[in-house]
Amino acid sequence: MEEHHCQHLLGELSAYVEGEASEALCAEIREHLAGCENCRAVVDTLNKTIQLYHTLPQPDLSDGARQRLYRTLNLEALLKP
Amino acid sequence: MSEVETEREMIERLRAGDKSACAQCVEQHASGVYRLALRMLGDEAEAEDVVQETFLSAFKAIDSFEWRSGLKTWLYRIATNAALMRLRRKTPLAVSVELPEEDGAETVPTQLFDWCCLPENDFATSEAKTELEAAIRELPEKLRAVFVLRELEGLSGEETAQTLGVSIENVKTRLHRARLWLRERLSGYFTELARSHEEG
């Protein structure tokens, strides 16, 4: 990642992965990626990273924690099973 | 009734001390507050404490709610501050949402192996998920807060900025750095896995 173009790409990557980059910038990035294996690896694995954390299971309060919360807030009478 | 009107009515009922409104508010927001606290702190018991603190503080201070943000953003702000306070007590010098951008997170890529085309099974293992959870827990705190709110809780850039009291540009910068940081951190694990496949 020492070349000027690679550093430039890294700076613009956020807009690119968000789909917010202009068409001209997208074309510039695609052209660079076609000839730069390192940057291609960064973009590929960055997209994969984003995909992976979006599929993580969503933890939730346990029933016990929910009961303790209602008790703390003096709402026990309103706790539904 | 519009969403804004529904929320306005909810706030008025909370201000009047209506317990069913309190329960409704808990039902709507407790799970999100818990997930936020758990991702920030990495500890279920501490996350549960933060949920309790958040709703106790919110119901006590509901008269000071100023409509500058939505109820959810306001609750997340209280919860984020409570979680950051706990982190600050553990590592007093390491936590501040006001730290300069260059501090705390090196994000220039050094891991350049392309592991994205590993078999999908390799990404679905419990070991891979554990690695990802650990990576999120290890994110530098000021990046973690933005990452959790924006990417895991789905707040908009504006809502995240309001929650943390920073600019939208700052949110964008930190989110990008968080993503690069996680990519770098996960690359160690997945590169090793890919090489073990090659050797096997």
Side-chain angles (χ1 to χ4, degrees), chain B residues 3-199:
Chain B
E3 210 171 296
V4 174
E5 286 170 336
T6 305
E7 184 152 301
R8 190 169 285 275
E9 186 191 288
M10 161 84 88
I11 302 284
E12 293 308 328
R13 287 169 60 209
L14 290 173
R15 283 180 170 163
D18 180 340
K19 290 207 165 196
S20 68
C22 294
Q24 194 180 334
C25 180
V26 167
E27 287 304 312
Q28 283 178 5
H29 300 293
S31 294
V33 169
Y34 175 72
R35 284 194 301 271
L36 164 63
L38 184 61
R39 299 289 192 204
M40 287 295 292
L41 295 163
D43 182 278
E44 290 180 6
E46 280 205 283
E48 185 182 334
D49 287 346
V50 166
V51 175
Q52 294 189 5
E53 285 171 33
T54 299
F55 284 99
L56 279 171
S57 301
F59 294 156
K60 196 172 168 188
I62 191 68
D63 285 336
S64 66
F65 180 80
E66 289 180 338
W67 307 102
R68 285 194 298 238
S69 63
L71 182 58
K72 176 177 167 180
T73 307
W74 189 62
L75 290 168
Y76 277 28
R77 182 171 189 136
I78 296 170
T80 304
N81 285 337
L84 287 171
M85 285 289 284
R86 282 169 180 266
L87 289 170
R88 196 169 293 138
R89 282 202 291 269
K90 287 180 190 168
T91 49
L93 297 176
V95 185
S96 168
V97 290
E98 306 300 336
L99 282 173
E101 281 307 313
E102 64 274 13
D103 187 87
E106 183 55 61
T107 48
V108 175
T110 59
Q111 299 269 0
L112 300 172
F113 181 81
D114 196 341
W115 46 266
C116 81
C117 298
L118 277 165
E120 280 303 312
N121 285 346
D122 284 340
F123 297 115
T125 63
S126 58
E127 189 180 70
K129 287 189 178 12
T130 302
E131 197 68 21
L132 179 53
E133 297 275 7
I136 292 170
R137 278 199 302 277
E138 290 166 23
L139 264 171
E141 284 85 353
K142 69 194 183 104
L143 302 186
R144 199 187 318 157
V146 166
F147 173 79
V148 170
L149 290 165
R150 188 79 179 84
E151 290 291 77
L152 301 184
E153 283 308 307
L155 266 62
S156 67
E158 190 179 353
E159 288 170 330
T160 305
Q162 282 177 349
T163 300
L164 297 174
V166 299
S167 68
I168 293 178
E169 271 314 302
N170 193 300
V171 168
K172 284 185 180 177
T173 303
R174 290 184 192 190
L175 177 57
H176 184 50
R177 290 162 68 88
R179 286 169 167 167
L180 287 173
W181 193 98
L182 286 172
R183 187 210 74 86
E184 190 78 6
R185 169 68 175 71
L186 290 178
S187 289
Y189 170 77
F190 285 118
T191 299
E192 197 175 313
L193 192 63
R195 296 213 163 119
S196 72
H197 286 335
E198 284 171 7
E199 287 164 10

Side-chain angles (χ1 to χ4, degrees), chain A residues 38-69:
Chain A
N38 285 348
C39 284
R40 211 161 51 238
V42 171
V43 172
D44 285 350
T45 52
L46 183 62
N47 281 325
K48 191 69 192 178
T49 299
I50 293 168
Q51 183 195 330
L52 286 177
Y53 64 63
H54 277 146
T55 59
L56 274 177
Q58 297 271 53
D60 202 353
L61 270 176
S62 66
D63 288 345
R66 194 160 159 272
Q67 285 169 13
R68 287 189 288 276
L69 175 61

